[in-house]
Amino acid sequence: MIGVNFVTLCHIFTMSRSPYRESLLRLQEKGTPNHLDFCINMDAFSTQKREDRRTRKICHRRYYLQRRNRFIYIILKRQTDDEEAQAARTFKGDKMISQGPTRGKTKGSQPDFSVPWHLSDVVLVVEDKKFYVHKGTLSMWSPVFEKMFLSEFKEKTASEIPLPGKKAAEIKEMLLVIYPTSKVVSEENCYYLLSLAREYQMEQLTERCERYLLQREKTPHQAVDFLVLANEFLMEELCKQCVEIAKHISITELRRHEKYTLVAPENGRQLAERRVELLENKVLAGEQKVNAVRKEVKDACEWALREIARSLYRKKYPEGRLCPRALSDCVKLLEETAVESSEINVILQLLQQRLRGIYEPFRTV
């Protein structure tokens, strides 16, 4: 670059559209620069051009990534919308649209059991209503139905099994709960489901009802009601929870409860024990607070005795003898001074009386 004629280079760059054209024009206006300034100026412009090119590449890359992410989002949203539209076409509200002569049910829907569906092989007749169900499902949940279908009973070969004395709405709720649907145990169906579960020996259904009742909020008064219910249907975890809640009710209130006579003896014993433990803990906590106050009063009285004794001792022996430190020595000095001073006598009697009250036990009126 140094060996090239500078005038020629200036002519070439100024006549062309080179990025150095403006810079060379400015240099010509200032005067003819030397070759070194010209090379340094060209290197600076070259570096700036590379940085501009790198910046443009980064901007293009960011723009490409944004477009690509936007395109992916649009594709995923269209797929989700298509799935929701398909689900909306399949279902109408909570009821499933019929799918042809097979009358099949889509997975996750709530069947109404009024028509044959999914290889149903037995019919339960309740209040002149028919429920098409499966022997296998009923047998897994209930030993009563299992024995009915496997033993030598007439129901073994019967296509319809009547359930006298039952309500159709309650039987349907029970079927919806034991079948893989979204039906859950609630306040409306929990109590008659417990009765059906006990009659048909459905332990898993009883556990579901118990889990719901464990999550339900209860006052101490309501806990007594649920304690009777838990004992009736053999729900041990619910019994423990109700005892822990009902222990906060007083004996007088418990005796006034309408279901007091229905509380089982074992549950009553547990409730009494937990009530006694609660009262003992309260008394113990009260005693700890009283002992802390006693200690503060004792320390204050002893500090007062020592300070008064030291003050009297310094007044009696101003030459600087060592003051008494033991509490007995301080009391002895105060007793000697109290013979001569009525004020010290009154103070000493008050402090000793307060100390005796601290060390003596409580007296109940």
Side-chain angles (χ1 to χ4, degrees):
M1 179 66 68
I2 296 176
V4 180
N5 190 313
F6 179 74
V7 178
T8 305
L9 288 175
C10 290
H11 179 72
I12 294 172
F13 283 113
T14 53
M15 296 301 293
S16 64
R17 294 185 179 182
S18 171
Y20 310 114
R21 180 174 180 273
E22 296 180 0
S23 178
L24 291 173
L25 291 175
R26 287 196 298 269
L27 290 174
Q28 287 181 356
E29 292 175 359
K30 294 180 181 179
T32 304
N34 56 33
H35 294 137
L36 181 60
D37 293 337
F38 176 73
C39 294
I40 293 174
N41 195 23
M42 290 185 64
D43 291 340
F45 272 93
S46 178
T47 303
Q48 182 65 30
K49 188 175 182 180
R50 286 196 299 269
E51 291 178 357
D52 294 342
R53 188 183 299 110
R54 188 181 302 109
T55 304
R56 286 195 298 272
K57 287 183 178 179
I58 293 174
C59 293
H60 286 309
R61 180 63 178 174
R62 289 178 179 174
Y63 178 75
Y64 167 76
L65 292 176
Q66 291 177 356
R67 292 293 301 271
R68 188 192 64 177
N69 294 339
R70 179 64 180 172
F71 177 77
I72 295 174
Y73 169 78
I74 293 174
I75 295 299
L76 294 178
K77 191 174 185 305
R78 287 180 179 177
Q79 292 179 356
T80 305
D81 294 340
D82 293 340
E83 292 175 358
E84 292 177 356
Q86 182 65 25
R89 287 193 297 270
T90 306
F91 296 90
K92 185 177 181 181
D94 294 335
K95 296 183 179 180
M96 186 189 64
I97 300 175
S98 178
Q99 297 181 353
T102 57
R103 294 169 182 172
K105 305 297 181 193
T106 304
K107 179 184 285 188
S109 62
Q110 289 189 2
D112 56 5
F113 304 102
S114 60
V115 293
W117 65 289
H118 278 308
L119 305 177
S120 55
D121 51 2
V122 68
V123 181
L124 301 179
V125 182
V126 186
E127 293 182 341
D128 298 332
K129 292 185 178 180
K130 295 183 178 182
F131 297 96
Y132 292 84
V133 293
H134 305 79
K135 292 183 178 180
T137 303
L138 296 179
S139 300
M140 285 189 298
W141 280 83
S142 169
V144 175
F145 282 110
E146 182 180 11
K147 187 175 181 180
M148 185 184 302
F149 296 142
L150 297 180
S151 301
E152 296 300 326
F153 292 103
K154 62 180 181 179
E155 290 84 0
K156 181 178 181 181
T157 56
S159 59
E160 295 184 356
I161 299 177
L163 299 179
K166 303 294 183 297
K167 295 182 179 180
E170 296 179 359
I171 294 296
K172 183 177 180 179
E173 284 288 311
M174 182 191 72
L175 294 175
L176 288 173
V177 171
I178 65 175
Y179 271 81
T181 63
S182 58
K183 192 68 176 180
V184 296
V185 179
S186 61
E187 188 70 18
E188 291 75 18
N189 59 16
C190 177
Y191 304 104
Y192 62 76
L193 286 180
L194 283 172
S195 301
L196 293 174
R198 179 175 58 182
E199 181 176 355
Y200 296 112
Q201 301 178 11
M202 296 181 176
E203 296 181 358
Q204 295 183 3
L205 182 56
T206 303
E207 292 177 359
R208 288 193 180 185
C209 296
E210 184 179 11
R211 285 198 296 269
Y212 165 75
L213 294 175
L214 286 171
Q215 298 174 357
R216 189 183 186 278
E217 295 184 0
K218 311 172 188 65
T219 63
H221 193 273
Q222 293 173 342
V224 179
D225 296 330
F226 286 103
L227 182 61
V228 176
L229 182 70
N231 181 73
E232 181 181 358
F233 293 99
L234 304 178
M235 296 181 286
E236 297 181 359
E237 295 297 327
L238 184 60
C239 281
K240 295 178 181 179
Q241 185 193 63
C242 292
V243 167
E244 289 296 322
I245 299 176
K247 70 180 181 182
H248 297 282
I249 192 173
S250 65
I251 299 298
T252 304
E253 294 177 351
L254 180 61
R255 289 175 178 173
R256 294 175 182 174
H257 198 280
E258 59 272 10
K259 292 187 178 180
Y260 171 72
T261 57
L262 300 178
V263 177
E266 180 65 20
N267 295 335
R269 181 185 64 81
Q270 295 176 359
L271 184 57
E273 290 178 354
R274 298 299 296 156
R275 179 65 181 175
V276 171
E277 291 178 4
L278 177 63
L279 296 177
E280 287 180 349
N281 292 334
K282 288 184 177 181
V283 172
L284 182 60
E287 289 180 354
Q288 291 176 353
K289 293 181 180 179
V290 171
N291 291 335
V293 175
R294 282 183 171 184
K295 187 177 183 304
E296 292 180 1
V297 175
K298 171 180 171 294
D299 294 341
C301 293
E302 291 179 355
W303 175 84
L305 287 173
R306 287 190 173 92
E307 290 298 321
I308 295 173
R310 289 172 182 173
S311 178
L312 294 173
Y313 194 82
R314 292 191 188 100
K315 186 182 295 186
K316 187 175 181 180
Y317 302 101
E319 63 273 12
R321 296 175 59 182
L322 295 176
C323 297
R325 295 184 178 182
L327 182 62
S328 58
D329 296 338
C330 295
V331 173
K332 184 178 179 180
L333 178 59
L334 287 175
E335 289 176 351
E336 294 174 357
T337 310
V339 177
E340 302 174 359
S341 175
S342 60
E343 296 178 355
I344 299 299
N345 186 24
V346 172
I347 294 174
L348 180 61
Q349 289 180 2
L350 290 174
L351 291 174
Q352 289 178 344
Q353 182 181 0
R354 184 57 61 88
L355 288 172
R356 283 195 300 269
I358 292 174
Y359 291 112
E360 290 179 357
F362 283 115
R363 292 179 296 179
T364 58
V365 180

mmCIF file of all heavy atoms in Angstrom, residues 206-226:
data_model
loop_
_atom_site.group_PDB
_atom_site.id
_atom_site.type_symbol
_atom_site.label_atom_id
_atom_site.label_comp_id
_atom_site.label_asym_id
_atom_site.label_seq_id
_atom_site.Cartn_x
_atom_site.Cartn_y
_atom_site.Cartn_z
ATOM 1 N N THR A 206 -66.022 -47.693 50.260
ATOM 2 C CA THR A 206 -66.012 -47.130 51.613
ATOM 3 C C THR A 206 -64.770 -46.263 51.828
ATOM 4 O O THR A 206 -64.834 -45.198 52.464
ATOM 5 C CB THR A 206 -66.056 -48.257 52.652
ATOM 6 O OG1 THR A 206 -67.220 -49.071 52.421
ATOM 7 C CG2 THR A 206 -66.116 -47.695 54.062
ATOM 8 N N GLU A 207 -63.627 -46.708 51.315
ATOM 9 C CA GLU A 207 -62.396 -45.918 51.447
ATOM 10 C C GLU A 207 -62.506 -44.593 50.702
ATOM 11 O O GLU A 207 -62.016 -43.565 51.187
ATOM 12 C CB GLU A 207 -61.212 -46.729 50.918
ATOM 13 C CG GLU A 207 -60.871 -47.939 51.772
ATOM 14 C CD GLU A 207 -59.743 -48.749 51.183
ATOM 15 O OE1 GLU A 207 -59.246 -48.365 50.087
ATOM 16 O OE2 GLU A 207 -59.353 -49.770 51.771
ATOM 17 N N ARG A 208 -63.146 -44.603 49.547
ATOM 18 C CA ARG A 208 -63.331 -43.338 48.818
ATOM 19 C C ARG A 208 -64.208 -42.373 49.610
ATOM 20 O O ARG A 208 -63.914 -41.181 49.699
ATOM 21 C CB ARG A 208 -63.953 -43.603 47.449
ATOM 22 C CG ARG A 208 -63.022 -44.254 46.454
ATOM 23 C CD ARG A 208 -63.610 -44.194 45.062
ATOM 24 N NE ARG A 208 -62.739 -44.814 44.075
ATOM 25 C CZ ARG A 208 -62.963 -44.820 42.771
ATOM 26 N NH1 ARG A 208 -64.058 -44.228 42.289
ATOM 27 N NH2 ARG A 208 -62.130 -45.409 41.931
ATOM 28 N N CYS A 209 -65.272 -42.892 50.185
ATOM 29 C CA CYS A 209 -66.135 -42.038 51.004
ATOM 30 C C CYS A 209 -65.383 -41.529 52.234
ATOM 31 O O CYS A 209 -65.560 -40.368 52.640
ATOM 32 C CB CYS A 209 -67.381 -42.819 51.432
ATOM 33 S SG CYS A 209 -68.470 -43.324 50.065
ATOM 34 N N GLU A 210 -64.553 -42.372 52.817
ATOM 35 C CA GLU A 210 -63.787 -41.955 53.992
ATOM 36 C C GLU A 210 -62.796 -40.854 53.627
ATOM 37 O O GLU A 210 -62.615 -39.890 54.394
ATOM 38 C CB GLU A 210 -63.057 -43.152 54.591
ATOM 39 C CG GLU A 210 -62.302 -42.829 55.869
ATOM 40 C CD GLU A 210 -61.606 -44.034 56.459
ATOM 41 O OE1 GLU A 210 -61.530 -45.072 55.767
ATOM 42 O OE2 GLU A 210 -61.139 -43.949 57.611
ATOM 43 N N ARG A 211 -62.128 -40.975 52.460
ATOM 44 C CA ARG A 211 -61.193 -39.934 52.036
ATOM 45 C C ARG A 211 -61.907 -38.597 51.852
ATOM 46 O O ARG A 211 -61.355 -37.539 52.189
ATOM 47 C CB ARG A 211 -60.496 -40.348 50.740
ATOM 48 C CG ARG A 211 -59.430 -41.403 50.920
ATOM 49 C CD ARG A 211 -58.507 -41.446 49.715
ATOM 50 N NE ARG A 211 -59.198 -41.840 48.516
ATOM 51 C CZ ARG A 211 -59.325 -43.095 48.089
ATOM 52 N NH1 ARG A 211 -58.789 -44.082 48.802
ATOM 53 N NH2 ARG A 211 -59.962 -43.369 46.975
ATOM 54 N N TYR A 212 -63.131 -38.646 51.338
ATOM 55 C CA TYR A 212 -63.873 -37.393 51.192
ATOM 56 C C TYR A 212 -64.215 -36.802 52.558
ATOM 57 O O TYR A 212 -64.054 -35.593 52.780
ATOM 58 C CB TYR A 212 -65.159 -37.632 50.396
ATOM 59 C CG TYR A 212 -66.141 -36.492 50.523
ATOM 60 C CD1 TYR A 212 -65.927 -35.292 49.846
ATOM 61 C CD2 TYR A 212 -67.252 -36.599 51.353
ATOM 62 C CE1 TYR A 212 -66.812 -34.229 49.983
ATOM 63 C CE2 TYR A 212 -68.139 -35.544 51.491
ATOM 64 C CZ TYR A 212 -67.917 -34.368 50.813
ATOM 65 O OH TYR A 212 -68.785 -33.323 50.956
ATOM 66 N N LEU A 213 -64.670 -37.632 53.481
ATOM 67 C CA LEU A 213 -65.051 -37.139 54.801
ATOM 68 C C LEU A 213 -63.841 -36.645 55.585
ATOM 69 O O LEU A 213 -63.965 -35.734 56.415
ATOM 70 C CB LEU A 213 -65.771 -38.244 55.584
ATOM 71 C CG LEU A 213 -67.133 -38.674 55.019
ATOM 72 C CD1 LEU A 213 -67.688 -39.853 55.806
ATOM 73 C CD2 LEU A 213 -68.118 -37.511 55.045
ATOM 74 N N LEU A 214 -62.668 -37.213 55.348
ATOM 75 C CA LEU A 214 -61.465 -36.735 56.023
ATOM 76 C C LEU A 214 -61.104 -35.323 55.567
ATOM 77 O O LEU A 214 -60.576 -34.526 56.357
ATOM 78 C CB LEU A 214 -60.291 -37.686 55.748
ATOM 79 C CG LEU A 214 -60.318 -39.028 56.490
ATOM 80 C CD1 LEU A 214 -59.216 -39.946 55.966
ATOM 81 C CD2 LEU A 214 -60.162 -38.826 57.990
ATOM 82 N N GLN A 215 -61.375 -34.995 54.310
ATOM 83 C CA GLN A 215 -61.056 -33.674 53.787
ATOM 84 C C GLN A 215 -62.099 -32.627 54.164
ATOM 85 O O GLN A 215 -61.831 -31.430 54.058
ATOM 86 C CB GLN A 215 -60.923 -33.726 52.264
ATOM 87 C CG GLN A 215 -59.798 -34.639 51.776
ATOM 88 C CD GLN A 215 -59.784 -34.788 50.281
ATOM 89 O OE1 GLN A 215 -60.645 -34.250 49.583
ATOM 90 N NE2 GLN A 215 -58.819 -35.532 49.760
ATOM 91 N N ARG A 216 -63.235 -33.063 54.631
ATOM 92 C CA ARG A 216 -64.325 -32.126 54.960
ATOM 93 C C ARG A 216 -64.021 -31.405 56.268
ATOM 94 O O ARG A 216 -63.546 -32.014 57.230
ATOM 95 C CB ARG A 216 -65.638 -32.898 55.082
ATOM 96 C CG ARG A 216 -66.868 -32.026 55.197
ATOM 97 C CD ARG A 216 -68.102 -32.904 55.386
ATOM 98 N NE ARG A 216 -69.324 -32.140 55.359
ATOM 99 C CZ ARG A 216 -69.814 -31.471 56.408
ATOM 100 N NH1 ARG A 216 -69.149 -31.476 57.549
ATOM 101 N NH2 ARG A 216 -70.957 -30.817 56.315
ATOM 102 N N GLU A 217 -64.294 -30.102 56.302
ATOM 103 C CA GLU A 217 -64.084 -29.329 57.516
ATOM 104 C C GLU A 217 -65.152 -29.670 58.549
ATOM 105 O O GLU A 217 -66.319 -29.866 58.209
ATOM 106 C CB GLU A 217 -64.110 -27.829 57.209
ATOM 107 C CG GLU A 217 -62.971 -27.374 56.305
ATOM 108 C CD GLU A 217 -62.982 -25.871 56.096
ATOM 109 O OE1 GLU A 217 -63.891 -25.205 56.666
ATOM 110 O OE2 GLU A 217 -62.097 -25.368 55.380
ATOM 111 N N LYS A 218 -64.722 -29.706 59.827
ATOM 112 C CA LYS A 218 -65.629 -30.113 60.902
ATOM 113 C C LYS A 218 -65.397 -29.242 62.125
ATOM 114 O O LYS A 218 -64.257 -28.922 62.469
ATOM 115 C CB LYS A 218 -65.409 -31.580 61.286
ATOM 116 C CG LYS A 218 -65.369 -32.546 60.129
ATOM 117 C CD LYS A 218 -64.946 -33.932 60.575
ATOM 118 C CE LYS A 218 -64.728 -34.851 59.399
ATOM 119 N NZ LYS A 218 -63.583 -34.412 58.555
ATOM 120 N N THR A 219 -66.474 -28.870 62.786
ATOM 121 C CA THR A 219 -66.393 -28.228 64.091
ATOM 122 C C THR A 219 -66.377 -29.318 65.161
ATOM 123 O O THR A 219 -66.726 -30.476 64.882
ATOM 124 C CB THR A 219 -67.587 -27.290 64.303
ATOM 125 O OG1 THR A 219 -68.798 -28.076 64.286
ATOM 126 C CG2 THR A 219 -67.651 -26.247 63.185
ATOM 127 N N PRO A 220 -65.988 -28.998 66.419
ATOM 128 C CA PRO A 220 -66.036 -30.022 67.481
ATOM 129 C C PRO A 220 -67.424 -30.622 67.655
ATOM 130 O O PRO A 220 -67.544 -31.825 67.930
ATOM 131 C CB PRO A 220 -65.592 -29.248 68.724
ATOM 132 C CG PRO A 220 -64.705 -28.164 68.192
ATOM 133 C CD PRO A 220 -65.312 -27.768 66.888
ATOM 134 N N HIS A 221 -68.473 -29.818 67.474
ATOM 135 C CA HIS A 221 -69.838 -30.348 67.602
ATOM 136 C C HIS A 221 -70.149 -31.301 66.456
ATOM 137 O O HIS A 221 -70.778 -32.360 66.656
ATOM 138 C CB HIS A 221 -70.841 -29.189 67.636
ATOM 139 C CG HIS A 221 -72.214 -29.592 68.064
ATOM 140 N ND1 HIS A 221 -73.170 -30.058 67.182
ATOM 141 C CD2 HIS A 221 -72.801 -29.620 69.286
ATOM 142 C CE1 HIS A 221 -74.282 -30.340 67.832
ATOM 143 N NE2 HIS A 221 -74.096 -30.074 69.114
ATOM 144 N N GLN A 222 -69.741 -30.943 65.226
ATOM 145 C CA GLN A 222 -69.971 -31.842 64.085
ATOM 146 C C GLN A 222 -69.111 -33.087 64.159
ATOM 147 O O GLN A 222 -69.496 -34.136 63.633
ATOM 148 C CB GLN A 222 -69.675 -31.084 62.789
ATOM 149 C CG GLN A 222 -70.635 -29.950 62.482
ATOM 150 C CD GLN A 222 -70.202 -29.133 61.284
ATOM 151 O OE1 GLN A 222 -69.037 -29.176 60.873
ATOM 152 N NE2 GLN A 222 -71.120 -28.374 60.701
ATOM 153 N N ALA A 223 -67.946 -32.981 64.789
ATOM 154 C CA ALA A 223 -67.070 -34.144 64.885
ATOM 155 C C ALA A 223 -67.719 -35.289 65.647
ATOM 156 O O ALA A 223 -67.435 -36.459 65.377
ATOM 157 C CB ALA A 223 -65.754 -33.744 65.554
ATOM 158 N N VAL A 224 -68.583 -34.967 66.609
ATOM 159 C CA VAL A 224 -69.285 -36.027 67.339
ATOM 160 C C VAL A 224 -70.224 -36.777 66.399
ATOM 161 O O VAL A 224 -70.329 -38.016 66.459
ATOM 162 C CB VAL A 224 -70.054 -35.432 68.530
ATOM 163 C CG1 VAL A 224 -70.801 -36.521 69.294
ATOM 164 C CG2 VAL A 224 -69.103 -34.696 69.471
ATOM 165 N N ASP A 225 -70.915 -36.049 65.511
ATOM 166 C CA ASP A 225 -71.791 -36.710 64.525
ATOM 167 C C ASP A 225 -70.989 -37.637 63.614
ATOM 168 O O ASP A 225 -71.382 -38.786 63.366
ATOM 169 C CB ASP A 225 -72.521 -35.660 63.686
ATOM 170 C CG ASP A 225 -73.455 -34.800 64.533
ATOM 171 O OD1 ASP A 225 -73.966 -35.315 65.539
ATOM 172 O OD2 ASP A 225 -73.659 -33.627 64.183
ATOM 173 N N PHE A 226 -69.870 -37.135 63.112
ATOM 174 C CA PHE A 226 -69.055 -37.961 62.219
ATOM 175 C C PHE A 226 -68.379 -39.105 62.966
ATOM 176 O O PHE A 226 -68.062 -40.137 62.360
ATOM 177 C CB PHE A 226 -68.015 -37.092 61.522
ATOM 178 C CG PHE A 226 -68.584 -36.229 60.444
ATOM 179 C CD1 PHE A 226 -68.790 -34.877 60.654
ATOM 180 C CD2 PHE A 226 -68.933 -36.767 59.211
ATOM 181 C CE1 PHE A 226 -69.314 -34.077 59.651
ATOM 182 C CE2 PHE A 226 -69.466 -35.977 58.209
ATOM 183 C CZ PHE A 226 -69.659 -34.617 58.429
#
